[in-house]
Amino acid sequence: MKRLTVFCGSSAGTDPIVYLQATLLGQTLAKNNIELVYGGAKVGLMGAVADGALSAGGKAIGVLPHFLRSKEIAHEHLTELILVDSMHERKTKMHELCDGVIALPGGFGTFEELFEMLTWAQLGLHQKPIGLLNCNGFYDPLVAMIQSMVDKGFLKQVNQDMLLVSNTIDDLLYKMKHYVAPTVGKWIKEENV
Ligand code: AMP
């Protein structure tokens, strides 16, 4: 893995452990010679992860839509800031640039980005690893919800397994590095119904 995209909150949240883990994730990527691709802002967890990577001598590439430039306050010290025209272009660019994605805690934007990567994966549109860093239990309710989707027949086990979950950065990176995407498609074949 040479480049990873990190999706995370444009807010800092209220849990200092989460903020620290965002910084630590940036630093760990740098130490492993993995370039960071992210949303390009200097605010919230986005700023923490970028500052972490840059402070450890790593590279941070931001992808920011023009219209968000002032709202999310562009980071001024990035290795590269790519300005795009729309949110769709931003996600496409972030996807194109990376070998995998990690979601940290965040709000609607983070969830939307994470779930789009998952839905693209279950359709077989990409084979990249998708990691969820469950910082201080933030994602426990989501992990339980996803298990409920499987139990109630809305999600296949093989698709649930596409989301790699861990409480620690090193374990998550290990899982991502060794991830092999399944060849099975989402759609049930007519003969199997
Ligand atoms: P949030 O998790 O809501 O703080 O947002 C995290 C990042 O996702 C921010 O850079 C938002 O601009 C971005 N974002 C918000 N909504 C969307 C969306 N519909 N599509 C893509 N990115 C979004």
Side-chain angles (χ1 to χ4, degrees), residues 8-10 46 68 72 87 90-91 106-110 112-113:
C8 61
S10 52
M46 296 169 77
L68 274 183
E72 290 198 342
M87 297 303 261
R90 180 196 222 181
K91 277 185 295 186
F108 284 159
T110 302
E112 198 271 346
E113 290 162 334

Side-chain angles (χ1 to χ4, degrees), residues 125-189:
L125 298 177
H126 73 80
Q127 281 76 38
K128 298 176 186 182
I130 301 169
L132 190 68
L133 189 60
N134 190 12
C135 302
N136 207 17
F138 176 83
Y139 277 121
D140 286 349
L142 181 66
V143 170
M145 183 70 231
I146 291 173
Q147 184 57 52
S148 172
M149 291 177 194
V150 175
D151 296 343
K152 296 193 170 139
F154 288 106
L155 178 67
K156 288 184 186 178
Q157 182 69 55
V158 69
N159 294 137
Q160 179 187 31
D161 294 343
M162 286 173 168
L163 183 62
L164 308 171
V165 186
S166 186
N167 299 335
T168 68
I169 294 167
D170 288 343
D171 180 58
L172 187 63
L173 289 177
Y174 179 87
K175 284 179 177 162
M176 291 176 72
K177 200 172 160 192
H178 294 91
Y179 176 73
V180 180
T183 44
V184 256
K186 171 176 164 46
W187 307 111
I188 298 163
K189 291 198 180 82

Side-chain angles (χ1 to χ4, degrees), residues 26-135:
Q27 291 169 344
T28 307
L29 294 182
K31 284 177 189 152
N32 285 283
N33 287 320
I34 298 171
E35 294 178 11
L36 167 71
V37 177
Y38 84 113
K42 71 173 176 189
V43 293
L45 295 191
M46 296 169 77
V49 74
D51 288 340
L54 294 167
S55 70
K59 291 189 176 160
I61 302 163
V63 185
L64 191 65
H66 288 283
F67 82 96
L68 274 183
R69 200 172 182 178
S70 54
K71 202 173 167 208
E72 290 198 342
I73 314 172
H75 199 298
E76 294 114 25
H77 305 293
L78 297 176
T79 313
E80 189 181 351
L81 179 66
I82 301 171
L83 289 168
V84 293
D85 288 330
S86 67
M87 297 303 261
H88 286 107
E89 211 185 309
R90 180 196 222 181
K91 277 185 295 186
T92 304
K93 192 75 192 165
M94 290 168 93
H95 170 54
E96 276 170 15
L97 287 173
C98 76
D99 305 309
V101 305
I102 294 178
L104 288 173
F108 284 159
T110 302
F111 276 55
E112 198 271 346
E113 290 162 334
L114 169 68
F115 279 102
E116 184 160 78
M117 283 302 287
L118 282 167
T119 51
W120 287 356
Q122 71 177 1
L123 293 170
L125 298 177
H126 73 80
Q127 281 76 38
K128 298 176 186 182
I130 301 169
L132 190 68
L133 189 60
N134 190 12
C135 302

